[in-house]
PDB file of all heavy atoms in Angstrom:
ATOM      1  N   GLY A  39       0.655 -13.282   6.057  1.00  0.00           N
ATOM      2  CA  GLY A  39       0.654 -12.841   7.441  1.00  0.00           C
ATOM      3  C   GLY A  39       1.651 -11.673   7.506  1.00  0.00           C
ATOM      4  O   GLY A  39       2.060 -11.137   6.616  1.00  0.00           O
ATOM      5  N   ALA A  40       1.964 -11.356   8.808  1.00  0.00           N
ATOM      6  CA  ALA A  40       2.760 -10.118   9.108  1.00  0.00           C
ATOM      7  C   ALA A  40       4.025 -10.032   8.276  1.00  0.00           C
ATOM      8  O   ALA A  40       4.483  -8.974   7.983  1.00  0.00           O
ATOM      9  CB  ALA A  40       2.932  -9.993  10.607  1.00  0.00           C
ATOM     10  N   GLY A  41       4.599 -11.203   8.029  1.00  0.00           N
ATOM     11  CA  GLY A  41       5.959 -11.215   7.346  1.00  0.00           C
ATOM     12  C   GLY A  41       5.924 -10.539   5.972  1.00  0.00           C
ATOM     13  O   GLY A  41       6.953 -10.023   5.584  1.00  0.00           O
ATOM     14  N   ALA A  44       6.630  -6.997   6.504  1.00  0.00           N
ATOM     15  CA  ALA A  44       7.917  -6.643   7.270  1.00  0.00           C
ATOM     16  C   ALA A  44       8.722  -5.700   6.496  1.00  0.00           C
ATOM     17  O   ALA A  44       9.266  -4.810   7.106  1.00  0.00           O
ATOM     18  CB  ALA A  44       8.565  -7.956   7.676  1.00  0.00           C
ATOM     19  N   GLU A  45       8.945  -6.032   5.237  1.00  0.00           N
ATOM     20  CA  GLU A  45       9.831  -5.178   4.458  1.00  0.00           C
ATOM     21  C   GLU A  45       9.255  -3.797   4.058  1.00  0.00           C
ATOM     22  O   GLU A  45       9.936  -2.930   3.515  1.00  0.00           O
ATOM     23  CB  GLU A  45      10.377  -5.883   3.197  1.00  0.00           C
ATOM     24  CG  GLU A  45      11.344  -6.928   3.486  1.00  0.00           C
ATOM     25  CD  GLU A  45      11.401  -8.066   2.621  1.00  0.00           C
ATOM     26  OE1 GLU A  45      10.589  -8.889   2.588  1.00  0.00           O
ATOM     27  OE2 GLU A  45      12.412  -8.054   1.794  1.00  0.00           O
ATOM     28  N   THR A  50       6.338  -7.334  12.874  1.00  0.00           N
ATOM     29  CA  THR A  50       5.666  -8.593  12.975  1.00  0.00           C
ATOM     30  C   THR A  50       5.176  -8.741  14.395  1.00  0.00           C
ATOM     31  O   THR A  50       5.603  -7.915  15.243  1.00  0.00           O
ATOM     32  CB  THR A  50       6.443  -9.821  12.455  1.00  0.00           C
ATOM     33  OG1 THR A  50       7.650  -9.892  13.305  1.00  0.00           O
ATOM     34  CG2 THR A  50       6.864  -9.717  11.085  1.00  0.00           C
ATOM     35  N   PHE A  51       4.410  -9.713  14.635  1.00  0.00           N
ATOM     36  CA  PHE A  51       3.987  -9.887  16.091  1.00  0.00           C
ATOM     37  C   PHE A  51       4.928 -10.722  16.872  1.00  0.00           C
ATOM     38  O   PHE A  51       5.089 -10.400  18.135  1.00  0.00           O
ATOM     39  CB  PHE A  51       2.624 -10.619  16.097  1.00  0.00           C
ATOM     40  CG  PHE A  51       1.482  -9.740  15.476  1.00  0.00           C
ATOM     41  CD1 PHE A  51       1.222  -9.853  14.120  1.00  0.00           C
ATOM     42  CD2 PHE A  51       0.873  -8.792  16.225  1.00  0.00           C
ATOM     43  CE1 PHE A  51       0.285  -9.028  13.573  1.00  0.00           C
ATOM     44  CE2 PHE A  51       0.013  -7.954  15.688  1.00  0.00           C
ATOM     45  CZ  PHE A  51      -0.409  -8.116  14.300  1.00  0.00           C
ATOM     46  N   ARG A  52       5.481 -11.777  16.397  1.00  0.00           N
ATOM     47  CA  ARG A  52       6.221 -12.681  17.187  1.00  0.00           C
ATOM     48  C   ARG A  52       7.759 -12.546  16.982  1.00  0.00           C
ATOM     49  O   ARG A  52       8.584 -13.278  17.552  1.00  0.00           O
ATOM     50  CB  ARG A  52       5.778 -14.129  17.029  1.00  0.00           C
ATOM     51  CG  ARG A  52       4.380 -14.342  17.486  1.00  0.00           C
ATOM     52  CD  ARG A  52       3.681 -15.593  17.123  1.00  0.00           C
ATOM     53  NE  ARG A  52       2.361 -15.497  17.724  1.00  0.00           N
ATOM     54  CZ  ARG A  52       1.292 -14.899  17.159  1.00  0.00           C
ATOM     55  NH1 ARG A  52       1.555 -14.236  15.925  1.00  0.00           N
ATOM     56  NH2 ARG A  52       0.152 -14.782  17.705  1.00  0.00           N
ATOM     57  N   TYR A  63       1.539  -8.558  22.917  1.00  0.00           N
ATOM     58  CA  TYR A  63       0.415  -8.447  22.073  1.00  0.00           C
ATOM     59  C   TYR A  63      -0.883  -9.072  22.669  1.00  0.00           C
ATOM     60  O   TYR A  63      -1.910  -8.518  22.669  1.00  0.00           O
ATOM     61  CB  TYR A  63       0.746  -9.139  20.670  1.00  0.00           C
ATOM     62  CG  TYR A  63      -0.376  -9.141  19.715  1.00  0.00           C
ATOM     63  CD1 TYR A  63      -0.795  -7.921  19.267  1.00  0.00           C
ATOM     64  CD2 TYR A  63      -1.072 -10.344  19.463  1.00  0.00           C
ATOM     65  CE1 TYR A  63      -1.838  -7.875  18.326  1.00  0.00           C
ATOM     66  CE2 TYR A  63      -2.146 -10.280  18.626  1.00  0.00           C
ATOM     67  CZ  TYR A  63      -2.464  -9.102  18.067  1.00  0.00           C
ATOM     68  OH  TYR A  63      -3.642  -9.156  17.215  1.00  0.00           O
ATOM     69  N   GLN A 117      -4.155 -12.327   7.100  1.00  0.00           N
ATOM     70  CA  GLN A 117      -4.435 -12.059   8.542  1.00  0.00           C
ATOM     71  C   GLN A 117      -4.013 -10.616   8.893  1.00  0.00           C
ATOM     72  O   GLN A 117      -4.191 -10.195   9.999  1.00  0.00           O
ATOM     73  CB  GLN A 117      -3.486 -12.967   9.343  1.00  0.00           C
ATOM     74  CG  GLN A 117      -3.755 -14.475   9.117  1.00  0.00           C
ATOM     75  CD  GLN A 117      -2.619 -15.295   9.634  1.00  0.00           C
ATOM     76  OE1 GLN A 117      -2.620 -15.737  10.754  1.00  0.00           O
ATOM     77  NE2 GLN A 117      -1.655 -15.695   8.709  1.00  0.00           N
ATOM     78  N   ASN A 118      -3.457  -9.837   7.926  1.00  0.00           N
ATOM     79  CA  ASN A 118      -3.039  -8.592   8.255  1.00  0.00           C
ATOM     80  C   ASN A 118      -4.105  -7.603   8.282  1.00  0.00           C
ATOM     81  O   ASN A 118      -5.125  -7.686   7.508  1.00  0.00           O
ATOM     82  CB  ASN A 118      -1.994  -8.120   7.113  1.00  0.00           C
ATOM     83  CG  ASN A 118      -0.754  -9.033   7.185  1.00  0.00           C
ATOM     84  OD1 ASN A 118      -0.597  -9.881   8.186  1.00  0.00           O
ATOM     85  ND2 ASN A 118       0.131  -8.960   6.206  1.00  0.00           N
ATOM     86  N   HIS A 134      -8.868 -11.011   9.876  1.00  0.00           N
ATOM     87  CA  HIS A 134      -8.719 -10.381  11.222  1.00  0.00           C
ATOM     88  C   HIS A 134      -9.185  -8.948  11.266  1.00  0.00           C
ATOM     89  O   HIS A 134      -8.893  -8.204  12.237  1.00  0.00           O
ATOM     90  CB  HIS A 134      -7.301 -10.530  11.606  1.00  0.00           C
ATOM     91  CG  HIS A 134      -6.909 -11.893  11.914  1.00  0.00           C
ATOM     92  ND1 HIS A 134      -5.566 -12.333  12.136  1.00  0.00           N
ATOM     93  CD2 HIS A 134      -7.634 -13.050  12.033  1.00  0.00           C
ATOM     94  CE1 HIS A 134      -5.498 -13.613  12.354  1.00  0.00           C
ATOM     95  NE2 HIS A 134      -6.711 -14.107  12.325  1.00  0.00           N
ATOM     96  N   ILE A 173     -11.238  -5.154  14.910  1.00  0.00           N
ATOM     97  CA  ILE A 173     -10.166  -6.236  14.799  1.00  0.00           C
ATOM     98  C   ILE A 173     -10.590  -7.501  15.618  1.00  0.00           C
ATOM     99  O   ILE A 173     -11.200  -7.296  16.625  1.00  0.00           O
ATOM    100  CB  ILE A 173      -8.760  -5.643  15.264  1.00  0.00           C
ATOM    101  CG1 ILE A 173      -8.358  -4.581  14.269  1.00  0.00           C
ATOM    102  CG2 ILE A 173      -7.787  -6.737  15.480  1.00  0.00           C
ATOM    103  CD1 ILE A 173      -6.953  -4.087  14.292  1.00  0.00           C
ATOM    104  N   VAL A 174     -10.311  -8.620  15.055  1.00  0.00           N
ATOM    105  CA  VAL A 174     -10.555  -9.841  15.835  1.00  0.00           C
ATOM    106  C   VAL A 174      -9.495 -10.031  16.887  1.00  0.00           C
ATOM    107  O   VAL A 174      -8.365 -10.192  16.651  1.00  0.00           O
ATOM    108  CB  VAL A 174     -10.580 -11.069  14.799  1.00  0.00           C
ATOM    109  CG1 VAL A 174     -10.854 -12.308  15.624  1.00  0.00           C
ATOM    110  CG2 VAL A 174     -11.563 -10.810  13.676  1.00  0.00           C
ATOM    111  N   PHE A 176      -8.221 -11.936  20.600  1.00  0.00           N
ATOM    112  CA  PHE A 176      -8.099 -13.351  21.151  1.00  0.00           C
ATOM    113  C   PHE A 176      -9.447 -13.645  21.845  1.00  0.00           C
ATOM    114  O   PHE A 176      -9.978 -12.794  22.560  1.00  0.00           O
ATOM    115  CB  PHE A 176      -6.908 -13.417  22.120  1.00  0.00           C
ATOM    116  CG  PHE A 176      -5.626 -13.425  21.336  1.00  0.00           C
ATOM    117  CD1 PHE A 176      -4.779 -12.350  21.355  1.00  0.00           C
ATOM    118  CD2 PHE A 176      -5.174 -14.600  20.673  1.00  0.00           C
ATOM    119  CE1 PHE A 176      -3.664 -12.385  20.669  1.00  0.00           C
ATOM    120  CE2 PHE A 176      -4.041 -14.571  19.927  1.00  0.00           C
ATOM    121  CZ  PHE A 176      -3.235 -13.512  20.029  1.00  0.00           C
ATOM    122  N   GLY A 202       4.763 -15.456   4.843  1.00  0.00           N
ATOM    123  CA  GLY A 202       5.118 -14.569   5.965  1.00  0.00           C
ATOM    124  C   GLY A 202       4.155 -14.831   7.304  1.00  0.00           C
ATOM    125  O   GLY A 202       3.777 -13.837   7.887  1.00  0.00           O
ATOM    126  N   THR A 203       3.816 -16.012   7.563  1.00  0.00           N
ATOM    127  CA  THR A 203       3.076 -16.222   8.767  1.00  0.00           C
ATOM    128  C   THR A 203       3.776 -17.307   9.644  1.00  0.00           C
ATOM    129  O   THR A 203       4.292 -18.276   9.031  1.00  0.00           O
ATOM    130  CB  THR A 203       1.591 -16.603   8.511  1.00  0.00           C
ATOM    131  OG1 THR A 203       0.941 -16.895   9.765  1.00  0.00           O
ATOM    132  CG2 THR A 203       1.427 -17.818   7.632  1.00  0.00           C
ATOM    133  N   SER A 204       3.711 -17.178  10.912  1.00  0.00           N
ATOM    134  CA  SER A 204       4.229 -18.178  11.854  1.00  0.00           C
ATOM    135  C   SER A 204       3.335 -19.414  11.793  1.00  0.00           C
ATOM    136  O   SER A 204       3.833 -20.496  12.188  1.00  0.00           O
ATOM    137  CB  SER A 204       4.449 -17.605  13.235  1.00  0.00           C
ATOM    138  OG  SER A 204       3.198 -17.065  13.651  1.00  0.00           O
ATOM    139  N   GLY A 205       2.112 -19.303  11.398  1.00  0.00           N
ATOM    140  CA  GLY A 205       1.238 -20.498  11.234  1.00  0.00           C
ATOM    141  C   GLY A 205       0.765 -21.061  12.539  1.00  0.00           C
ATOM    142  O   GLY A 205       0.436 -22.193  12.647  1.00  0.00           O
ATOM    143  N   VAL A 207      -1.670 -19.172  14.587  1.00  0.00           N
ATOM    144  CA  VAL A 207      -2.933 -18.597  15.042  1.00  0.00           C
ATOM    145  C   VAL A 207      -4.121 -19.300  14.231  1.00  0.00           C
ATOM    146  O   VAL A 207      -4.131 -19.272  13.008  1.00  0.00           O
ATOM    147  CB  VAL A 207      -2.864 -17.102  14.870  1.00  0.00           C
ATOM    148  CG1 VAL A 207      -4.217 -16.483  15.135  1.00  0.00           C
ATOM    149  CG2 VAL A 207      -1.833 -16.460  15.777  1.00  0.00           C
ATOM    150  N   VAL A 227       6.384 -19.520   1.957  1.00  0.00           N
ATOM    151  CA  VAL A 227       7.449 -18.449   1.837  1.00  0.00           C
ATOM    152  C   VAL A 227       7.680 -17.918   3.203  1.00  0.00           C
ATOM    153  O   VAL A 227       6.736 -17.306   3.783  1.00  0.00           O
ATOM    154  CB  VAL A 227       7.008 -17.437   0.830  1.00  0.00           C
ATOM    155  CG1 VAL A 227       8.100 -16.229   0.735  1.00  0.00           C
ATOM    156  CG2 VAL A 227       6.905 -17.983  -0.545  1.00  0.00           C
ATOM    157  N   ASN A 228       8.882 -18.006   3.628  1.00  0.00           N
ATOM    158  CA  ASN A 228       9.161 -17.429   5.069  1.00  0.00           C
ATOM    159  C   ASN A 228      10.715 -17.245   5.145  1.00  0.00           C
ATOM    160  O   ASN A 228      11.454 -18.069   4.533  1.00  0.00           O
ATOM    161  CB  ASN A 228       8.600 -18.361   6.144  1.00  0.00           C
ATOM    162  CG  ASN A 228       8.487 -17.610   7.480  1.00  0.00           C
ATOM    163  OD1 ASN A 228       9.430 -16.900   7.895  1.00  0.00           O
ATOM    164  ND2 ASN A 228       7.391 -17.794   8.036  1.00  0.00           N
ATOM    165  N   THR A 229      11.128 -16.283   5.878  1.00  0.00           N
ATOM    166  CA  THR A 229      12.543 -16.140   6.054  1.00  0.00           C
ATOM    167  C   THR A 229      13.122 -17.195   7.050  1.00  0.00           C
ATOM    168  O   THR A 229      14.281 -17.482   7.077  1.00  0.00           O
ATOM    169  CB  THR A 229      12.861 -14.714   6.765  1.00  0.00           C
ATOM    170  OG1 THR A 229      11.923 -14.507   7.822  1.00  0.00           O
ATOM    171  CG2 THR A 229      12.829 -13.650   5.762  1.00  0.00           C
ATOM    172  N   GLU A 230      12.148 -17.746   7.903  1.00  0.00           N
ATOM    173  CA  GLU A 230      12.519 -18.777   8.835  1.00  0.00           C
ATOM    174  C   GLU A 230      11.614 -19.987   8.801  1.00  0.00           C
ATOM    175  O   GLU A 230      10.583 -19.901   8.150  1.00  0.00           O
ATOM    176  CB  GLU A 230      12.431 -18.214  10.178  1.00  0.00           C
ATOM    177  CG  GLU A 230      13.457 -17.109  10.536  1.00  0.00           C
ATOM    178  CD  GLU A 230      13.199 -16.366  11.824  1.00  0.00           C
ATOM    179  OE1 GLU A 230      12.561 -16.961  12.681  1.00  0.00           O
ATOM    180  OE2 GLU A 230      13.604 -15.194  11.918  1.00  0.00           O
ATOM    181  N   GLY A 242      13.405 -17.325   2.473  1.00  0.00           N
ATOM    182  CA  GLY A 242      14.006 -16.090   1.965  1.00  0.00           C
ATOM    183  C   GLY A 242      12.884 -15.033   2.171  1.00  0.00           C
ATOM    184  O   GLY A 242      11.793 -15.327   2.683  1.00  0.00           O
ATOM    185  N   SER A 243      13.209 -13.736   1.809  1.00  0.00           N
ATOM    186  CA  SER A 243      12.194 -12.783   2.092  1.00  0.00           C
ATOM    187  C   SER A 243      11.170 -12.761   0.981  1.00  0.00           C
ATOM    188  O   SER A 243      11.339 -13.067  -0.149  1.00  0.00           O
ATOM    189  CB  SER A 243      12.929 -11.346   2.091  1.00  0.00           C
ATOM    190  OG  SER A 243      12.970 -10.847   0.872  1.00  0.00           O
ATOM    191  N   ALA A 244       9.908 -12.347   1.422  1.00  0.00           N
ATOM    192  CA  ALA A 244       8.776 -12.310   0.505  1.00  0.00           C
ATOM    193  C   ALA A 244       9.021 -11.347  -0.646  1.00  0.00           C
ATOM    194  O   ALA A 244       8.660 -11.666  -1.761  1.00  0.00           O
ATOM    195  CB  ALA A 244       7.543 -11.842   1.259  1.00  0.00           C
TER     196      ALA A 244
HETATM  197  P1  OAD B 329       3.800 -13.557  13.295  1.00  0.00           P
HETATM  198  O1  OAD B 329       4.514 -12.259  13.831  1.00  0.00           O
HETATM  199  O2  OAD B 329       3.396 -14.573  14.139  1.00  0.00           O
HETATM  200  O3  OAD B 329       4.830 -14.232  12.168  1.00  0.00           O
HETATM  201  C1  OAD B 329       5.377 -13.546  11.134  1.00  0.00           C
HETATM  202  C2  OAD B 329       6.225 -14.517  10.282  1.00  0.00           C
HETATM  203  O4  OAD B 329       6.723 -13.728   9.132  1.00  0.00           O
HETATM  204  C3  OAD B 329       7.321 -15.140  11.023  1.00  0.00           C
HETATM  205  O5  OAD B 329       7.234 -16.618  10.781  1.00  0.00           O
HETATM  206  C4  OAD B 329       8.655 -14.568  10.371  1.00  0.00           C
HETATM  207  O6  OAD B 329       9.704 -15.524  10.171  1.00  0.00           O
HETATM  208  C5  OAD B 329       8.109 -14.218   8.908  1.00  0.00           C
HETATM  209  N1  OAD B 329       8.809 -13.121   8.252  1.00  0.00           N
HETATM  210  C6  OAD B 329       9.353 -12.046   8.835  1.00  0.00           C
HETATM  211  N2  OAD B 329       9.917 -11.232   7.843  1.00  0.00           N
HETATM  212  C7  OAD B 329       9.626 -11.777   6.625  1.00  0.00           C
HETATM  213  C8  OAD B 329       9.894 -11.582   5.254  1.00  0.00           C
HETATM  214  N3  OAD B 329      10.515 -10.413   5.046  1.00  0.00           N
HETATM  215  N4  OAD B 329       9.508 -12.362   4.380  1.00  0.00           N
HETATM  216  C9  OAD B 329       8.790 -13.583   4.667  1.00  0.00           C
HETATM  217  N5  OAD B 329       8.611 -13.939   5.950  1.00  0.00           N
HETATM  218  C10 OAD B 329       8.895 -13.035   6.854  1.00  0.00           C
HETATM  219  O7  OAD B 329       2.683 -12.936  12.363  1.00  0.00           O
HETATM  220  P2  OAD B 329       1.363 -13.733  11.817  1.00  0.00           P
HETATM  221  O8  OAD B 329       1.664 -15.185  11.633  1.00  0.00           O
HETATM  222  O9  OAD B 329       0.764 -13.004  10.732  1.00  0.00           O
HETATM  223  O10 OAD B 329      -3.805 -11.400  14.876  1.00  0.00           O
HETATM  224  O11 OAD B 329       0.466 -13.692  13.051  1.00  0.00           O
HETATM  225  C11 OAD B 329      -0.860 -14.172  12.910  1.00  0.00           C
HETATM  226  C12 OAD B 329      -1.753 -13.211  13.912  1.00  0.00           C
HETATM  227  O12 OAD B 329      -1.152 -13.159  15.122  1.00  0.00           O
HETATM  228  C13 OAD B 329      -1.873 -11.755  13.431  1.00  0.00           C
HETATM  229  O13 OAD B 329      -2.792 -11.593  12.367  1.00  0.00           O
HETATM  230  C14 OAD B 329      -2.325 -11.204  14.644  1.00  0.00           C
HETATM  231  C15 OAD B 329      -1.618 -11.953  15.714  1.00  0.00           C
HETATM  232  O14 OAD B 329      -2.549 -12.411  16.781  1.00  0.00           O
HETATM  233  C16 OAD B 329      -4.616 -10.300  14.842  1.00  0.00           C
HETATM  234  O15 OAD B 329      -4.286  -9.204  14.664  1.00  0.00           O
HETATM  235  C17 OAD B 329      -6.016 -10.644  15.199  1.00  0.00           C
END
Side-chain angles (χ1 to χ4, degrees):
E45 284 155 285
T50 59
F51 292 95
R52 292 170 184 81
Y63 177 71
Q117 298 168 86
N118 298 346
H134 291 167
I173 287 192
V174 179
F176 286 103
T203 178
S204 50
V207 172
V227 174
N228 200 314
T229 44
E230 294 169 22
S243 87

